[in-house]
Amino acid sequence: MKLTVRMRLFSILFGTLLLVLLAPGSSSARTEQVFRLDGGNATYAFGVNERGELQTLYWGGRLGPHDSVPAAHSLPEWASFDSPNTNTPQEYAGWGAGLFTEPALKVTFADGNRDLVLHFVRATPSGAQSLELLLKDISREIYVTLHYSIDPESGILARFASIENRQKQPVVIEQAAAAQWTLPPARYTLSYLTGRWAGEWTVNQEPIQGGERVIESRRGTTGHQANPWFAISRDDSQNTAGPITADEEHGEVWFGALAWSGSWRITVEHSQLDAVRVTGGFNPFDFGYELKPGEHLETPVFYGGYSDHGLGGASRLLHRFEIAHILPHAPDPKPRPVIYNSWEATEFNVSEAGQEAMAEKAASLGVDRFVMDDGWFGQRKDDHAGLGDWYVNSEKFPRGLKPLIDKVRSLGMDFGLWVEPEMVNPDSDLYRKHPDWVLNFPGRPRSEQRNQLVLNLARSDVRQYIEGFLDKLLTDNDIAFLKWDYNRNWSEPGWDQVPVDQQRRVYVEFIRNLYSILADLRQKHPKIEIESCSGGGGRVDLGILHYTDEVWPSDNTDPFDRLSMQDGFSYAYPPQVMMAWVTDSPHWLNNRRTTSLSYRMLSSMQGSLGIGANLNNWTPDDFATAKRLIADYHSVQRTIVGGDLYRVISPRGGSEFSASETVSGDKNQAVLFAFTHSTQEGRDFPLLQLQGLEPDAEYKLGWIEGKALPGTPESASGAWWMRHGLQLDLRGDFQAAAFRLDRQR
Ligand code: GLA
């Protein structure tokens, strides 16, 4: 199949290039050009219209190999108010010539001209499944290279742009998208994720109506408040006026995710002519990237995909793609070690003896990795001091970290450590020495959050300092893992060491330096693994996930709250990267909520498992329960974190019940988790009809926790589990069950 795709693409590109060579600049020749990318179950096609614009032609289910896509023709003016370039769905529209829809690119030239009209110059194949297209302004020397590649397995496209100034004067880029996507005219429902600290991953769903929905972060970082992901489901009941609901397992869904950990923006626009357009890239708010002659700016990558199996199908494709292409150890990242983390148990009160005692208890449970959180460095007694001073606190660890690390290693675990490299407390040696290293506007107040300021990582000296201390920490100590935290957002984002016209580059250079430090550290210390944390899920995106092995989805570890958060998280990111700790009950956040240890364990076992409870307070029974469930988890972990996820019953919207299922890629195993919130009136747990099994294969049922109502077979066909289904014996408040199905040979 791959070969056909490649041949088809080459023949298209060959044809394209021929046309350009034979008739350079001739618009009649250009209009014949259609570019087509096929992968998975998707086809993406665009072409050059008679005006020279690059126009979207098709994005949807895969077309036949010999089907042709009609050539591009720009849409006419609508009365005298909407111009052809506003009406025509362009692949990457410059702001100029009366463009009223969202532009991909907006610039100001040195002479004050702000008109930019991008026309096609040429296309070059850049690989078997990728293309580069050059656009240029109609008169000025501004060039844009659009990069496209399609993943042959999932059909997910990766798109980004590179903008080059070949003028003799600087040009300021005020808005630069990675890509614009156009969907066929229809009625749609938009899904997107919002939140706040301790309340991330809320799924919002709403009909797409006239106007524009903006999802964004202006915070200098990805943010808890919105996540750079979207999904758009086609509404099948086009002729009804009733409520629109996106379907989990059926129907067409277009989705995308932006790989950027700085201020970002995605707009979903329903135009005056009913076109739906998605534009995403750098957030234009306070943006202004000056390009000197000869310089270029590369945008982040915007990934986009298509599924005709509903939102569930969309997230399964995205998970597979992230595991196969995004993560540092793609295509085969190892399941995450089961960790113990000290934060909720000891907070800042860490010491050699205390951590060693905890490590012994953690090891007895079968934990693989012991992570010491905040509090080990500088004068860190609480969150008022110490950030920036990355030396070991000699009162807490008089002999350094080595004895603790040796102890952890001798217990058969590896060792991880918490750092927050981009931050500084004003009460620190670093700040006293370098007060100018933080983001600030001279003479203006420096707003603190959690008593800390943000180091300006765009500066090369700051970059060097951060990489230097991290490199030394990893060189001097046997550290397998860093939990890389980032506990506030930007304020006063000034950078006064560079000329005024360069200062807004901070939005880009900060993030690029962050990525390059992570890349350098990984290269120098190939065994290191890293978690991206930002007060929970404030920095989760496909940009950071290229350099980090896992993320911390939320500081909220309440096992019931986590069910809906994990459900929301799973729309965009795979269980593989989703760390989930079991912590104490009653929980500190919803402080009267008490849950059993097995409920908490099962809630966390849906992702990459960790223990964050104070083991000093555990009973022998607790140890026995956790040990048993960790062993069970280890035995099915690959399926849970790397399999196909089905959100069987959503916990959202005040549901009394929830259930999720994962099926291994070879369909040899399925694992199902089920939870109640509070059943009412004696109602039974809903019938569970499993999904994704091989109908003709025989599967044996194995209980991890709980049981089914009498009469459930111990073994049955995939068809039985999927069609007849089983009924759990699960009622009451905060109850949980889990089982596995193993294929019999
Ligand atoms: C953040 C993290 C927590 C913990 C604390 C330590 O809030 O999300 O997990 O590491 O910082 O200060």
Side-chain angles (χ1 to χ4, degrees):
M1 189 179 76
K2 267 189 196 161
L3 196 65
T4 337
V5 173
R6 282 191 190 146
M7 284 173 57
R8 172 80 189 146
L9 190 71
F10 274 127
S11 68
I12 293 164
L13 292 172
F14 187 62
T16 304
L17 290 173
L18 257 186
L19 277 173
V20 174
L21 289 174
L22 289 175
S26 144
S27 59
S28 60
R30 285 172 173 182
T31 57
E32 299 307 314
Q33 296 168 59
V34 170
F35 308 98
R36 174 174 162 173
L37 294 162
D38 294 292
N41 185 33
T43 294
Y44 192 86
F46 52 101
V48 184
N49 67 28
E50 62 278 24
R51 293 160 54 89
E53 294 154 345
L54 205 55
Q55 177 175 343
T56 314
L57 295 174
Y58 178 81
W59 186 25
R62 184 146 180 172
L63 304 178
H66 305 296
D67 291 338
S68 65
V69 179
H73 288 293
S74 73
L75 273 67
E77 185 176 276
W78 181 248
S80 52
F81 290 96
D82 282 310
S83 56
N85 65 336
T86 278
N87 296 337
T88 302
Q90 293 186 59
E91 283 286 291
Y92 201 84
W95 185 71
L99 182 89
F100 302 114
T101 46
E102 205 51 72
L105 186 62
K106 180 178 184 317
V107 302
T108 295
F109 290 89
D111 62 357
N113 170 40
R114 305 192 303 281
D115 185 59
L116 181 78
V117 178
L118 295 171
H119 280 182
F120 173 77
V121 180
R122 64 171 174 269
T124 323
S126 53
Q129 258 99 17
S130 47
L131 259 178
E132 279 177 19
L133 292 106
L134 187 68
L135 310 183
K136 180 190 170 298
D137 177 62
I138 47 175
S139 70
R140 304 221 168 178
E141 297 292 299
I142 290 292
Y143 289 82
V144 178
T145 306
L146 301 182
H147 299 259
Y148 292 79
S149 60
I150 193 162
D151 171 33
E153 311 301 330
S154 63
I156 291 180
L157 287 135
R159 292 179 56 188
F160 67 98
S162 177
I163 303 140
E164 189 186 349
N165 177 19
R166 291 193 214 157
Q167 295 269 112
K168 297 208 162 49
Q169 302 286 323
V171 169
V172 178
I173 299 176
E174 286 153 7
Q175 181 163 344
Q180 301 195 281
W181 310 92
T182 302
L183 275 60
R187 281 177 50 175
Y188 294 105
T189 296
L190 171 68
S191 302
Y192 59 102
L193 295 163
T194 58
R196 61 175 182 189
W197 177 80
E200 300 90 333
W201 313 110
T202 303
V203 180
N204 305 272
Q205 293 184 320
E206 65 198 26
I208 299 181
Q209 291 173 335
E212 187 170 274
R213 156 62 69 187
V214 178
I215 320 166
E216 65 170 354
S217 161
R218 299 179 175 191
R219 296 164 179 267
T221 188
T222 323
H224 301 73
Q225 290 70 15
N227 192 264
W229 166 88
F230 73 89
I232 296 179
S233 328
R234 189 172 193 141
D235 173 24
D236 281 330
S237 54
Q238 292 197 43
N239 297 319
T240 68
I244 298 170
T245 47
D247 193 311
E248 178 67 19
E249 289 298 331
H250 304 99
E252 293 190 290
V253 175
W254 291 257
F255 57 93
L258 197 58
W260 188 239
S261 313
S263 290
W264 58 273
R265 191 178 79 160
I266 294 174
T267 58
V268 180
E269 195 178 12
H270 183 271
S271 79
Q272 69 295 340
L273 292 188
D274 300 328
V276 172
R277 304 258 295 157
V278 182
T279 303
F282 297 121
N283 195 323
F285 180 82
D286 199 36
F287 199 74
Y289 195 100
E290 191 195 65
L291 277 188
K292 292 200 186 345
E295 286 187 333
H296 74 280
L297 172 66
E298 204 164 273
T299 71
V301 180
F302 201 173
Y303 296 95
Y306 166 86
S307 160
D308 57 6
H309 285 84
L311 288 161
S315 59
R316 287 189 288 277
L317 278 181
L318 195 48
H319 293 176
R320 268 187 239 140
F321 178 78
E322 289 159 341
I323 287 174
H325 297 283
I326 301 287
L327 294 179
H329 291 289
D332 196 18
K334 287 195 304 278
R336 313 303 306 135
V338 172
I339 64 144
Y340 177 82
N341 179 291
S342 66
W343 174 244
E344 289 201 21
T346 51
E347 296 205 338
F348 300 97
N349 191 17
V350 291
S351 67
E352 187 182 311
Q355 294 296 296
E356 285 187 8
M358 200 71 89
E360 274 176 11
K361 297 190 167 95
S364 77
L365 296 171
V367 160
D368 308 305
R369 170 172 291 168
F370 183 84
V371 183
M372 178 160 65
D373 209 281
D374 200 348
W376 59 270
F377 54 90
Q379 295 307 308
R380 189 79 167 161
K381 296 190 177 64
D382 53 33
D383 61 15
H384 285 80
L387 286 176
D389 298 341
W390 297 104
Y391 58 84
V392 180
N393 181 298
S394 57
E395 279 165 47
K396 299 177 185 182
F397 297 92
R399 302 187 296 154
L401 293 177
K402 191 167 186 314
L404 172 61
I405 298 177
D406 287 348
K407 172 78 180 185
V408 165
R409 303 287 287 143
S410 76
L411 290 165
M413 300 182 290
D414 65 22
F415 181 77
L417 195 62
W418 181 95
V419 288
E420 193 177 359
E422 299 138 277
M423 298 290 167
V424 67
N425 287 117
D427 185 0
S428 67
D429 297 342
L430 185 73
Y431 189 72
R432 282 183 281 273
K433 197 163 162 205
H434 297 291
D436 56 326
W437 275 15
V438 298
L439 290 175
N440 77 96
F441 291 116
R444 305 287 301 169
R446 301 172 177 201
S447 303
E448 291 174 23
Q449 285 157 28
R450 207 194 191 201
N451 314 302
Q452 63 197 57
L453 296 166
V454 184
L455 290 171
N456 182 359
L457 187 47
R459 291 173 59 126
S460 52
D461 44 9
V462 171
R463 186 198 178 292
Q464 232 176 332
Y465 171 76
I466 292 178
E467 182 161 338
F469 90 72
L470 286 168
D471 184 27
K472 184 161 174 0
L473 193 65
L474 298 182
T475 306
D476 294 351
N477 299 286
D478 183 6
I479 294 174
F481 170 79
L482 288 178
K483 174 178 170 184
W484 184 304
D485 214 334
Y486 183 82
N487 275 314
R488 60 160 292 180
N489 296 154
W490 293 11
S491 57
E492 300 101 15
W495 181 12
D496 69 317
Q497 290 73 34
V498 296
V500 172
D501 50 20
Q502 300 285 304
Q503 290 181 4
R504 291 182 201 210
R505 280 185 173 225
V506 69
Y507 285 105
V508 177
E509 309 309 346
F510 187 115
I511 309 303
R512 297 243 187 272
N513 279 346
L514 166 66
Y515 291 162
S516 78
I517 291 176
L518 286 162
D520 284 359
L521 288 174
R522 295 199 78 108
Q523 204 232 331
K524 285 187 204 155
H525 306 275
K527 293 208 174 115
I528 191 71
E529 297 186 333
I530 305 175
E531 173 177 292
S532 170
C533 172
S534 171
R539 190 150 68 185
V540 182
D541 59 76
L542 295 193
I544 202 79
L545 276 171
H546 197 54
Y547 304 97
T548 56
D549 305 84
E550 59 186 55
V551 298
W552 182 228
S554 181
D555 276 350
N556 182 349
T557 54
D558 178 302
F560 173 67
D561 287 7
R562 271 288 178 125
L563 295 181
S564 7
M565 290 181 165
Q566 293 176 174
D567 177 85
F569 183 95
S570 76
Y571 282 84
Y573 307 103
Q576 163 79 12
V577 304
M578 184 178 80
M579 293 311 289
W581 307 344
V582 174
T583 58
D584 287 319
S585 168
H587 193 265
W588 54 269
L589 191 60
N590 300 302
N591 58 348
R592 296 239 170 79
R593 182 174 292 149
T594 306
T595 51
S596 69
L597 181 58
S598 61
Y599 179 90
R600 282 175 273 148
M601 289 289 299
L602 264 52
S603 169
S604 294
M605 283 161 67
Q606 291 179 294
S608 285
L609 178 63
I611 308 289
N614 190 343
L615 301 179
N616 296 326
N617 301 334
W618 275 24
T619 65
D621 270 0
D622 291 338
F623 277 96
T625 302
K627 189 172 176 181
R628 170 175 61 81
L629 289 172
I630 289 174
D632 283 338
Y633 176 76
H634 272 135
S635 73
V636 288
Q637 185 181 4
R638 275 195 181 270
T639 298
I640 294 173
V641 299
D644 282 330
L645 174 71
Y646 295 86
R647 290 176 289 262
V648 180
I649 305 174
S650 170
R652 289 182 285 118
S655 171
E656 283 173 57
F657 312 99
S658 66
S660 74
E661 179 200 354
T662 38
V663 182
S664 60
D666 56 12
K667 294 180 188 280
N668 283 347
Q669 187 174 67
V671 182
L672 189 131
F673 292 95
F675 303 87
T676 69
H677 172 259
S678 47
T679 53
Q680 289 179 302
E681 298 159 357
R683 264 195 291 277
D684 277 327
F685 201 91
L687 178 71
L688 282 176
Q689 289 166 306
L690 278 89
Q691 302 184 43
L693 304 176
E694 202 60 72
D696 297 333
E698 185 75 8
Y699 291 90
K700 188 170 180 304
L701 174 65
W703 287 99
I704 294 171
E705 191 73 20
K707 58 182 196 297
L709 289 180
T712 305
E714 280 174 15
S715 179
S717 69
W720 196 93
W721 299 115
M722 292 194 290
R723 294 178 190 145
H724 182 283
L726 87 165
Q727 196 100 42
L728 290 178
D729 184 358
L730 195 67
R731 278 184 292 168
D733 297 353
F734 302 120
Q735 299 297 307
F739 62 83
R740 57 194 281 177
L741 291 175
D742 290 284
R743 188 173 184 159
Q744 304 300 290
R745 293 284 168 196

